[in-house]
Amino acid sequence: MEMQNLTAMIDRLRQSVGSVIVGKEHTVDLLLTALLAGGHVLLEDVPGTGKTLLAKALAQAVGGTFKRIQFTPDLLPSDVSGIHYYNQKLGEFQFRPGPVFTNILLADEINRATPRTQSSLLECMEERQITIDGETHQLEKPFLVIATQNPVDNQGTFPLPEAQLDRFLMRVSMGYPSFEEGVGILRRFQEANPLQTLQAAVTLDEVRLAQAQASRVHIAEELLGYIVRLAEASRKHPDVVLGISPRGTQSLLKAVQAYALVRGRDYVEPDDIKAMALPVLTHRILLQGAMRVREGRSEDVLKRLLNEVEVPSEGPALSRGR
């Protein structure tokens, strides 16, 4: 797919989702970045900020299937993956697919389910497959998990462990709308829900082609070194117990390549790394015990590292590698 066609496709997706979601352009771009990078997103925000609406709008815009799981303490792994059941009419066991067999999966309030059920998502998130009763089933591409958490009400929840948080490419917050956006929301939803008339802006085949193109976006050797230096600096920071792992640097690489594509370029700039560092890396840093309590402390540490680690000078070698 040529760059011009890719840019047009991404613009159609952005406009399609934007016809439902008022404002939040940066959040929409982050979601599109995760989609093209083949990653998953953890949406953290209070109820009513449009997390479910955003997931549904994206699913309809790409012409894909959408499933939602409401995570509760009594939810079982089989409720997520599916089960083999005995069909008395046919006299044989058959497989009933669970909600993970979809393109866009909304895992609503994922931290309310038990760790056993939470971990049932790990294989399908990482491997794009799931094994049930010894039989492996492939998941259709694209496959994107959007999990939500309410950061305020933590009673009766099971916090995601670091190993599971690491499976999410990004941790994103919707945030409350501005005054103008709030008025725009009321106007847009005054008569009808625009989601009901939203048409697919692209095909799944186009999304798959764009995902393949994202991994081929040029990134200069100097910028690869910049990513590694950020990771090394996080491991040496006095407030950090667990710094950015090699998997974290790989995730950042995938994200910046896809983000460059979303911004209409086939090469990575230093600003792409700075833009992706917070959503991709904040949940991959484990701070000292006293520091964890302070809200936004991981972001403060990362912002300091971004200011301290030397950024490669921009030039033709960085932009095109020619």
Side-chain angles (χ1 to χ4, degrees):
M1 188 182 289
E2 295 181 0
M3 192 62 205
Q4 185 177 359
N5 295 333
L6 271 171
T7 303
M9 187 207 85
I10 292 168
D11 283 342
R12 291 199 307 272
L13 263 179
R14 187 184 286 117
Q15 292 170 12
S16 183
V17 176
S19 68
V20 176
I21 303 297
V22 178
K24 308 302 177 191
E25 290 85 0
H26 182 60
T27 303
V28 172
D29 278 357
L30 290 179
L31 208 58
L32 294 179
T33 299
L35 176 68
L36 298 188
H40 308 286
V41 178
L42 181 63
L43 272 179
E44 271 196 337
D45 223 316
V46 295
T49 50
K51 300 185 293 293
T52 301
L53 190 66
L54 178 60
K56 286 182 176 180
L58 180 64
Q60 289 187 214
V62 300
T65 56
F66 172 83
K67 297 285 179 64
R68 174 182 177 177
I69 308 174
Q70 184 65 50
F71 278 71
T72 56
D74 60 348
L75 192 74
L76 299 175
S78 58
D79 296 328
V80 176
S81 59
I83 59 169
H84 282 97
Y85 71 100
Y86 186 72
N87 189 322
Q88 292 184 337
K89 185 179 292 185
L90 297 178
E92 60 183 25
F93 280 93
Q94 289 187 316
F95 177 62
R96 178 183 293 144
V100 293
F101 290 86
T102 188
N103 296 123
I104 309 290
L105 175 67
L106 178 65
D108 213 1
E109 295 186 295
I110 189 173
N111 56 332
R112 294 204 176 278
T114 60
R116 183 181 173 213
T117 303
Q118 291 175 4
S119 64
S120 66
L121 274 176
L122 286 180
E123 183 186 6
C124 60
M125 289 173 65
E126 190 73 17
E127 306 293 337
R128 301 308 195 271
Q129 66 181 31
I130 193 159
T131 304
I132 303 163
D133 296 335
E135 184 178 350
T136 299
H137 303 265
Q138 298 296 326
L139 300 177
E140 182 187 4
K141 293 181 180 181
F143 174 66
L144 170 65
V145 174
I146 302 174
T148 70
Q149 286 191 147
N150 179 359
V152 177
D153 183 13
N154 291 321
Q155 189 172 3
T157 61
F158 302 87
L160 297 175
E162 277 67 29
Q164 192 163 338
L165 280 174
D166 199 40
R167 296 304 198 276
F168 289 96
L169 179 68
M170 297 182 191
R171 191 178 195 171
V172 179
S173 176
M174 291 282 289
Y176 283 118
S178 65
F179 175 81
E180 292 76 11
E181 290 170 349
V183 173
I185 290 171
L186 294 180
R187 281 208 190 105
R188 187 166 295 181
F189 287 82
Q190 182 177 356
E191 295 183 2
N193 186 342
L195 190 65
Q196 296 173 353
T197 57
L198 183 65
Q199 300 295 318
V202 299
T203 65
L204 291 179
D205 284 338
E206 287 179 309
V207 174
R208 286 187 277 266
L209 285 172
Q211 287 179 328
Q213 186 66 31
S215 63
R216 294 194 287 267
V217 168
H218 171 73
I219 179 167
E221 197 75 19
E222 293 87 344
L223 293 182
L224 293 176
Y226 179 48
I227 291 174
V228 173
R229 286 198 299 274
L230 278 175
E232 289 178 342
S234 74
R235 299 165 197 162
K236 298 173 184 175
H237 196 282
D239 295 339
V240 176
V241 176
L242 191 65
I244 300 164
S245 67
R247 181 160 58 192
T249 59
Q250 292 174 50
S251 296
L252 182 56
L253 171 60
K254 291 180 182 178
V256 297
Q257 287 179 299
Y259 185 69
L261 209 58
V262 168
R263 303 307 297 171
R265 285 179 276 104
D266 59 358
Y267 59 91
V268 174
E269 294 181 346
D271 284 345
D272 297 329
I273 297 176
K274 290 184 175 182
M276 289 294 100
L278 293 183
V280 174
L281 299 179
T282 48
H283 61 289
R284 303 176 194 274
I285 293 179
L286 184 62
L287 301 178
Q288 300 278 1
M291 296 292 178
R292 290 189 223 178
V293 185
R294 294 177 55 184
E295 186 70 27
R297 178 59 180 163
S298 294
E299 287 192 13
D300 293 341
V301 170
L302 267 174
K303 287 176 181 177
R304 190 181 308 168
L305 292 178
L306 288 170
N307 288 329
E308 293 174 354
V309 177
E310 184 180 358
V311 182
S313 301
E314 292 196 46
L318 292 189
S319 62
R320 298 299 298 175
R322 295 174 182 171

